[in-house]
Amino acid sequence: MPTACRSLPSILLLRARSVTSEETRQHLKDAHQRVLSVAEVQRHLHTSAGVDEIDVGS
């Protein structure tokens, strides 16, 4: 996992704990989850052999 993907989730959670606005806290927590999701997809792509195409439609 790239270094930014390792440190960014921690930074987002630290900021979420320090803000007073509940709305801002929730946005930071949502961003944290999105970063973890992207990191997991990246990890999967990196470790999967023969992955040529991924269906990301929902």
Side-chain angles (χ1 to χ4, degrees):
M1 181 179 338
T3 303
C5 288
R6 281 182 273 209
S7 58
L8 187 55
S10 297
I11 292 168
L12 289 167
L13 282 183
L14 285 171
R15 292 297 295 159
R17 291 182 188 130
S18 68
V19 297
T20 56
S21 166
E22 187 57 40
E23 181 181 6
T24 301
R25 182 176 295 114
Q26 191 57 51
H27 285 301
L28 289 166
K29 287 181 179 181
D30 290 346
H32 171 261
Q33 282 304 120
R34 286 191 301 274
V35 170
L36 292 180
S37 296
V38 169
E40 180 60 24
V41 169
Q42 189 275 336
R43 185 200 61 77
H44 178 74
L45 290 172
H46 182 71
T47 59
S48 298
V51 175
D52 296 327
E53 187 175 309
I54 296 176
D55 180 13
V56 294
S58 345

